[in-house]
Amino acid sequence: MDKNKTILVVGAGGFIAGHLIKRILENGNKVVACDIKPKEFWFQDFDNVENHYSMDMKDISNCMKVTNKVNYVFNMACNMGGMGFIENNKAECMQSVLINTNLLIASKENKIEKYFFSSSACAYNISKQDKVFIEGLKEEDAYPADPEDGYGWEKLFSERMCRHFFEDYGIQVRIARYHNIYGPYGTYDGGREKAPAALCRKVIEAKKKNAGTIDVWGDGNQTRTFLYVDECVEGTLRLFDSNCSDPMNIGSDEQVSINQMIEIIENISGISNLKKNHQLDKPKGVRGRSSNNDFAKKVLNWSYKMSLKEGLTKTFKWIENEMTREGSNISRFTKS
Ligand code: GKE
């Protein structure tokens, strides 16, 4: 990326954005960062950045303000979480379209050169994800449209709006569909956490209390793939530097069941044979999901390298440290 460009990162206090800003700063760019969260809840907060805390991007006047005098925009902002959150907060999730709409309008008015939108695997047709260990989803599998209720529709609608702003106004757009990104400096408690962090936390708690069981949502046979955050940022920056304005998977194809992931986490923790209390009434999402990465390989000449075990080891150690660190500002990483 041209290091003379000024970059705006929206949703800067969030998990993936914190890791993205770190990489952009290493590249030498000037960064403007904003988030609706107050300073104390930003997961990563860099001094050499123009930070705007408690800034609601559903308000177009804020979008106009921060897109002024920047060259590129990364829209990483949305009201979301794991299945525990998006299944129970559909109206709230849908309102992220206000952020996406206003930010695109402001980007057009302020002649932004390039605009990245973080979409999601939740945009995919749910009827193609009704079995375990499915074939990896290809980008065209988002149609006919039948995405995750609430959050998935918000992402699919916003993808299409990006395309129309490109077609009608010439804004260069880049769209990634993230497949369950995980890693350090993310939420692991409080209700918005996704499965990797949630299950790391549950194993750590079981180990600490010497409890022989952990609660698992669903029967544990449901399958997913999970991509480590550093790989997500690498893929995102390569996509941004490419000429591809079509939605692209940024995900892993190392598909595991939730029960298999728990075994990996037990192995990392040094305990084994935890009894799983399968809570069938808890939010489960789709039965199986995986990312087909042929398009990313072809266009970006890139594919992720880190195994789930390696990524979970880093994540587990970070969460364990956070949970035991004296006086840790634990609410920052567990805020729901
Ligand atoms: N969050 C969570 N917490 N999930 C659990 C737990 C737990 O303690 N125990 C088992 N699971 C199961 C869920 O029931 C679900 O079947 C699977 O793990 C993955 O749950 P998840 O990580 O919360 O979210 P999903 O992959 O189903 O969906 C997420 O996909 C992302 C994109 O790939 C969405 O919630 C968004 O975070 C995002 O779109």
Side-chain angles (χ1 to χ4, degrees), residues 166-203:
F166 169 53
E167 290 163 345
D168 295 359
Y169 309 123
I171 297 184
Q172 280 297 323
V173 295
R174 301 290 180 266
I175 303 163
R177 286 185 186 140
Y178 289 155
H179 287 249
N180 211 314
I181 309 304
Y182 73 100
Y185 295 98
T187 310
Y188 59 84
D189 201 351
R192 288 181 190 258
E193 67 278 5
K194 289 184 270 187
L199 292 164
C200 283
R201 183 197 80 241
K202 290 182 175 180
V203 170

Side-chain angles (χ1 to χ4, degrees), residues 236-275:
T236 298
L237 291 172
R238 284 172 179 255
L239 173 56
F240 196 77
D241 282 348
S242 79
N243 291 319
C244 178
S245 57
D246 294 323
M248 181 185 287
N249 281 328
I250 299 285
S252 161
D253 53 8
E254 185 187 353
Q255 193 171 179
V256 294
S257 71
I258 296 304
N259 287 333
Q260 287 171 327
M261 177 160 73
I262 292 169
E263 270 166 56
I264 296 172
I265 297 171
E266 285 179 319
N267 185 277
I268 293 163
S269 73
I271 54 174
S272 56
N273 302 325
L274 282 171
K275 188 177 168 310

